[in-house]
Structures are given as structure tokens and as C-alpha cells.
Amino acid sequence: MSVVEEYARAQIVTDTDDQVPTERGAVPVVLRYDPDRDPRSVRIGLPGPHEWTLSRSLLEQGLRTPVGSGSVRVWPCGRVQAVVEFHSAGGVSVVQFESKTLLRFLGRTYQAAATPVSRPA
């Protein structure tokens, strides 16, 4: 199966000690899915060394209704945005995405998971 990687832009608000950049405007974020590593999880890479792993189904459910599991919460924000909130010992990071970006990414992950792998004979 193939890795899905999508580059997006998001608004980030944080009170963490490790200081994820919170400059005005959107910052680059990487959405990753590696079905060989963990077919049930996706990763969100924030600027710097900050990467979070969360359940793919949690992300999908959070686009419709507020949900949470462990240190991650996801909820819809109005009609066109979604929020992913990450809790750590250092504080909280709130990342706001356009919902269509997350929907497109999730669609690509399901396509990748359904694509058969051709192996040499």
C-alpha cells in the first residue's frame, strides 16, 4: 500500500512550552497516512518537530460531531472548518483546518487502503 501525504495550511493557537510557531496567518502542516505502519492512524505534522498520531476514525467523526480520545479532541467549527486540539504535558495546541482539506485527505487514505499491492512473482 502506498503512503498518502498531503500538505495543508492551518491556523495554530498554542499555550505549549515547546512553542509551536503561531505567526499570523496559516502555517504549513503535513497530513500523513502510512497503511503499512498503522492502517488505523493518521499523523499531523506541525511546524518544527511536532507530530501527532490520531485515529483515522476519530478525525472522520470529528468532522461531524465533537469527539475526543486521550490527548486529542476534534470538532466541527462552523460550516467549513474543523478543529483538532492536542493536549500534552507542556500545554495545548489548537489547529484549525478547512474541513474540505481533511475530507480530501481522508478520501485519499481510504483509496490507498483499498488499492491492492502488486508484488513481483
Side-chain angles (χ1 to χ4, degrees), residues 30-47:
V30 180
L31 306 169
R32 289 187 184 93
Y33 173 68
D34 184 347
D36 293 330
R37 181 175 177 179
D38 184 353
R40 288 182 236 125
S41 297
V42 295
R43 292 177 288 152
I44 298 177
L46 304 179

Side-chain angles (χ1 to χ4, degrees), residues 38-117:
D38 184 353
R40 288 182 236 125
S41 297
V42 295
R43 292 177 288 152
I44 298 177
L46 304 179
H50 311 281
E51 184 170 86
W52 291 82
T53 301
L54 63 145
S55 159
R56 185 168 60 158
S57 63
L58 180 78
L59 183 58
E60 184 175 19
Q61 291 171 5
L63 293 173
R64 294 185 306 272
T65 187
V67 294
S69 177
S71 60
V72 180
R73 314 253 183 299
V74 183
W75 68 89
C77 182
R79 299 177 120 188
V80 297
Q81 295 180 329
V83 171
V84 182
E85 183 178 281
F86 302 104
H87 293 255
S88 70
V92 178
S93 293
V94 178
V95 185
Q96 188 172 14
F97 291 92
E98 286 190 18
S99 296
K100 67 181 179 182
T101 299
L102 296 176
L103 285 168
R104 181 177 56 240
F105 171 69
L106 286 168
R108 291 180 61 210
T109 69
Y110 286 109
Q111 288 176 345
T115 304
V117 177

Side-chain angles (χ1 to χ4, degrees), residues 17-34:
D17 294 336
D18 48 359
Q19 297 303 311
V20 173
T22 58
E23 65 227 29
R24 291 196 182 269
V27 297
V29 175
V30 180
L31 306 169
R32 289 187 184 93
Y33 173 68
D34 184 347

